[in-house]
Amino acid sequence: MTVFPYLHWFRTALLTLVLASCAGAPADPVSDPPRAGTLVPLGGEDGPVIAFALGGGAARGFAHVGVLNVLERNGIHADLVVGTSAGSLAGALYAAGLRGQRLEEEALQLERETFTDFGFPDRGLIRGERLQQYVNEAVGGLPLEDLPTRFAAVATDLGSGESAVFNGGDTGMAVRASSSFPGLVQPVRINGRDYVDGGLVSQVPVHVALSLGADVVIAVDVSKLPVDAERVESTLDVLRQALLIMSMALVERDVSDADVVIRPDVSGIKLAEFAARAEAIKAGERAAEKMLPEIHAAIAGARGTF
């Protein structure tokens, strides 16, 4: 499971959610809510379709910025970006045209308070509206279908448990839905349905990228591997280990069909450790630089088929 960037308040949420009623939150007053429309595949005319599949990982998601910067400097550009949770935020900014130094500066200026808007407990302590507003301002108010680079955000339908791939409508609300950790952040009501964190169904959305016509998928996994079993001593350790094992199984399923998987070493960064964002960016850069030969080989191999 993933959460961006709210896990810092998880224990508080568990104590206070007992006060919550079961009333549903009303729909947000947006003129063009996100849509999970028909996924029309891209067709590469002059070369392979290159996709970035960006996974969730809370504050570790800042590593995406380092990865994207290295790819940009080396002339590797995405025709398509698909993001889950933290990856949906980084992906939306990239798809809107924030690249290189500008993207890094934007990331370094972010504070936890940018995303935290507490409200009366109503199926979650945090509304998530600040994140929605921030994203829409950062992308210049563009809806998903008008972003310069094609982009999709993955969320989970809380009622059916199915994935929702938002590819049209309000960009900020789509990222908010993709990042809404259940039980802590209020579900996002869109057209009568409730949506939560996309990491419940797709940690690293490789298969969505493939369904959209990608010929080369570069996946970025910023999740944390389970700790050594010898360190599992307390009840909390057991629960944490179990969740990490389930998460790892989802990740491995997701990335199995990627052409290249980039895994920044963010194991020392806590999920809500915004102070370590520069460290996470550097970890992303190191991991991407290490994988450049493999990336170039995968793209060259795909170009040979055109």
Side-chain angles (χ1 to χ4, degrees), residues 62-148:
F62 284 105
H64 288 309
V65 174
V67 171
L68 293 172
N69 283 350
V70 168
L71 298 181
E72 184 74 13
R73 289 199 299 266
N74 286 273
I76 301 167
H77 311 296
D79 302 295
L80 164 69
V81 184
V82 185
T84 291
S85 199
S88 74
L89 173 57
L93 300 183
Y94 176 94
L98 276 71
R99 308 287 171 86
Q101 188 65 29
R102 185 182 173 198
L103 178 60
E104 183 170 346
E105 289 174 354
E106 187 73 23
L108 291 173
Q109 290 173 3
L110 291 177
E111 299 290 343
R112 187 183 295 115
E113 290 72 23
T114 304
F115 308 102
T116 309
D117 46 357
F118 290 101
F120 183 81
D122 184 5
R123 303 187 299 168
L125 281 180
I126 297 171
R127 295 190 302 271
E129 293 170 0
R130 284 187 182 175
L131 173 60
Q132 177 177 325
Q133 181 180 1
Y134 164 77
V135 172
N136 280 331
E137 290 176 353
V139 304
L142 293 175
L144 290 164
E145 67 270 24
D146 289 342
L147 295 174

Side-chain angles (χ1 to χ4, degrees), residues 1-11 13 55-64 84-90 93 106-107 109-118 125-135 172 175-182 184-186 196-198 222 269-277 280:
M1 299 179 186
T2 59
V3 50
F4 180 72
Y6 306 113
L7 202 61
H8 180 70
W9 298 278
F10 186 60
R11 292 180 181 177
R60 299 181 187 120
F62 284 105
H64 288 309
T84 291
S85 199
S88 74
L89 173 57
L93 300 183
E106 187 73 23
Q109 290 173 3
L110 291 177
E111 299 290 343
R112 187 183 295 115
E113 290 72 23
T114 304
F115 308 102
T116 309
D117 46 357
F118 290 101
L125 281 180
I126 297 171
R127 295 190 302 271
E129 293 170 0
R130 284 187 182 175
L131 173 60
Q132 177 177 325
Q133 181 180 1
Y134 164 77
V135 172
V175 171
R176 173 186 170 192
S178 180
S179 307
S180 293
F181 186 69
L184 182 57
V185 185
Q186 296 173 6
V196 293
D197 196 301
V222 294
I269 299 175
K270 297 178 180 178
L271 286 170
E273 194 174 0
F274 267 57
R277 52 191 180 274

Side-chain angles (χ1 to χ4, degrees), residues 13-40:
L14 290 177
L15 294 174
T16 56
L17 279 173
V18 295
L19 301 174
S21 69
C22 294
D28 288 284
V30 298
S31 59
D32 187 20
R35 302 182 298 277
T38 302
L39 299 180
V40 179

Side-chain angles (χ1 to χ4, degrees), residues 272-295:
E273 194 174 0
F274 267 57
R277 52 191 180 274
E279 178 185 344
I281 292 171
K282 291 298 183 185
E285 290 177 343
R286 289 192 295 270
E289 288 169 352
K290 183 178 179 181
M291 298 301 294
L292 281 173
E294 201 169 319
I295 294 170

Side-chain angles (χ1 to χ4, degrees), residues 212-237:
L212 286 168
D215 299 302
V216 178
V217 179
I218 301 170
V220 185
D221 171 24
V222 294
S223 62
K224 182 179 180 181
L225 295 176
V227 297
D228 191 297
E230 294 180 359
R231 297 175 55 191
V232 179
E233 299 173 349
S234 68
T235 301
L236 184 59
D237 286 340

